[in-house]
Amino acid sequence: MQRVPAQLLDLSSESIVSTAGGATITSWNLAATALYGWQPGEALGRSLAQLVGEYPPEALESVIARGLWEGHIERRRRDRSTCTVRVRLARAEDDEWMEVSSVVEAAHPAEVALAASEYRYRNLFGAVAASFWELDFSGVGAMLRQLREQGVTDLPGHLRANPALVRAMMRASRIVDTNDRSIEMFGPGTKRDLIATPLDQYWPESSTREFTESILSAIGGRSRHVAETRMRARDGREFDALFTVSFLPGTVGNGTLLVGFTDISDRVQATRQLGEASTRRKMLMDVPTIALSELAAPDVRGVFQRLREAGVTDLHAYIDAHPDFVDKVVASLRFTAVNDATVRLFGARSAEDLIGRPLTGIVQPGCEVMRRSIEGSFARELVFQSEIRMFRLDGTPVDTLFCRVSNPDPNSAEVLVAQIDISEQVRAREEIDRMRQEAAHASRIALLGQLAASIVHEISQPVTAIAMHAAAAERLAKAPVPPVEKLSKITGQIGQNALRVGEIIQRIRSLAANREIPMVQLSIADIVAETRMLLRQELTEKGVQVTVIRDAVLPDICGDRIQLQQVLANLMVNAIQAMDSAPRRDRRITMALRASDDLVSVEVADTGPGLSAAFHAEPFQTFRTTKPDGLGIGLTICRSIAEAHGGRLEVRDRVPGPGAAFTLVLPAAGSER
């Protein structure tokens, strides 16, 4: 059989592999590479059985007897995964066997890969005609792991100081696939020629630094890396390119990376000659709905350079030691260009009121958002976005969505800032918080209503004692010789009972008050003890035994004491009411205080009948209640309070049952949760 040229086989979208008698691989097209992972140069001359798996006995028998076989086979891939392929196998006269195979899926693998690539590239390049590469980056990941095992802790410094190592990482990366634009940009040659060329041949020595920074972006967990660089075609021609890498979750060091190149040679030349970049920025300034401004800080670039030369790598720690650094940088930032939307945003009469003006007074001193933006600039992050509160020229505050885009040119001292006025959205959030606070207040008042009888009983005891002691004191005082010692003891007891009444009233007033929420450091054990004290009479009357178990070490939490008491009181009251039908001897509440992974939890478990399937389906459904006088908002309010504290409220059946268990989970004070 006349051998088909490899270039023709590459035109097929299906895997085509030929072997000598079904054993040694003699041809391997690009679709086979896409399906199994091995490049043609790696597959040719190897045993097909050892590479991807053997043919089943029935296939061998059919090919030997009839020259044909068709069926499904389980195959191995380069990444050690397996796939089921549909194989059509034929034998020629010269005993050369040829198979055509495709994976058994609803869509062809090439179509699946193309759809995924189009989705990923769309976010990176939009409609720009660009060269797309898929790189196998696993070799770089292995080298990085080896460096860590060798004790290298400063990977950025190590890689920047060892360009030869970075060139080796280039050679460890393989091109898996490219598009037609890549052939035009990096040719001459075919797609097979481009893939077979080692990666470092496309990168001039002068561009090693940009490749190094892309690796550091991957190590730093950034989602993408964008830079201008010089690239080399296969014929030695060099050109300017915009180099973009997308680091999808789970791909760095373990799979393929998406890389794009846009030829910007014409743009770079035009920019140098005609100042095209300034023209484009002026056009951007005409956008009417977004406040766009250019800020310049020529001194900051020099400050950053001196800090790097002094060995400063962690600007966050440096600012902690020099807290006035942020305000100094803000004072050096000055408007150089603004559009009409920026003039309106800051209440200026015209652009002249802003141009040349520093941000001092517009940004509050020690602004945390500006600090994070400055730290991002020092780390060469091109884009930063956050909400920020600034001040108009008349001093009134304005909340904006703030986006800072740095110039990719390290020699540029200009940044572009885009802002959108979100004052109305911020006010709406504040109104929602206020309504949530009022709902919590209503829930507390409802809780007090449920506890009214117990509160009256608890107050009546010390009041009755005061009356009895007062009557006794009156009788003793009328005696011919009043017993001073007894009178002193009785008046002391009157004072103690009065203090007890005052404490009870203070607890009730605190629970009923509607006030701002102070977030302070608290002991969860103290809050549990105070809540038990609040419900002491209710627990006694219902015959409920409370057991508290706790870890030896419980970190403090940060929150509002009264709201957290409200949550625990609601959970305990629900537990008490759930056990109304249980014998008094079986009415038990277990409160477990635990600490784990920067979290503190309080579980309230009862011995009631447990939770229904409908409750499990929607445990926090509003206005659902089984109580005649219930509002149906208690648990909803409890969950809102938990979430406002950065925590959550969990619901489950008690184990062992029967019964229910509700767990309040909160972050420990000082944790980053």
Side-chain angles (χ1 to χ4, degrees), residues 150-164:
Q150 293 172 354
V152 177
T153 56
D154 182 14
L155 282 174
H158 187 77
L159 293 180
R160 288 175 179 136
N162 292 276

Side-chain angles (χ1 to χ4, degrees), residues 606-611 652-661:
D606 62 60
T607 55
L611 304 172
R652 65 175 179 84
D653 288 319
R654 178 175 171 270
V655 178

Side-chain angles (χ1 to χ4, degrees), residues 9 27 49 79 102 139 254 264 280 340 390 421 475 479 501 600 605:
L9 294 179
S27 69
D79 62 1
S102 59
N254 298 312
I264 58 172
R280 287 199 305 272
D340 290 342
M390 290 187 167
D421 188 344
R475 288 195 304 272
V501 171
V600 180

Side-chain angles (χ1 to χ4, degrees), residues 302-313 315 318 325 378:
V303 171
F304 281 1
Q305 182 62 32
R306 289 192 293 274
L307 289 177
R308 292 190 179 99
E309 292 173 353
V312 174
T313 57
L315 189 63
Y318 178 84
F325 181 82
F378 184 79

Side-chain angles (χ1 to χ4, degrees), residues 208-272:
T208 304
R209 183 176 65 87
E210 281 76 18
F211 192 90
T212 303
E213 296 303 320
S214 72
I215 295 175
L216 297 181
S217 293
I219 296 173
R222 299 186 181 95
S223 61
R224 65 182 62 181
H225 176 83
V226 182
E228 291 187 6
T229 187
R230 295 281 292 176
M231 298 300 294
R232 182 190 296 129
R234 294 185 69 252
D235 60 2
R237 168 180 50 86
E238 293 189 6
F239 58 93
D240 295 293
L242 182 66
F243 166 51
T244 308
V245 190
S246 175
F247 306 108
L248 296 180
T251 61
V252 178
N254 298 312
T256 58
L257 294 184
L258 308 178
V259 181
F261 298 96
T262 304
D263 189 341
I264 58 172
S265 301
D266 294 339
R267 195 203 73 184
V268 170
Q269 183 178 4
T271 300
R272 290 169 184 164

Side-chain angles (χ1 to χ4, degrees), residues 420-431:
I420 299 175
D421 188 344
I422 58 170
S423 299
E424 291 187 4
Q425 292 92 320
V426 171
R427 284 195 295 271
R429 285 206 305 263
E430 292 173 349
E431 179 64 15

Side-chain angles (χ1 to χ4, degrees), residues 99-119:
E99 71 165 59
V100 179
S101 58
S102 59
V103 72
V104 179
E105 291 180 352
H108 191 278
E111 296 172 349
V112 175
L114 178 61
S117 296
E118 288 176 347
Y119 173 80

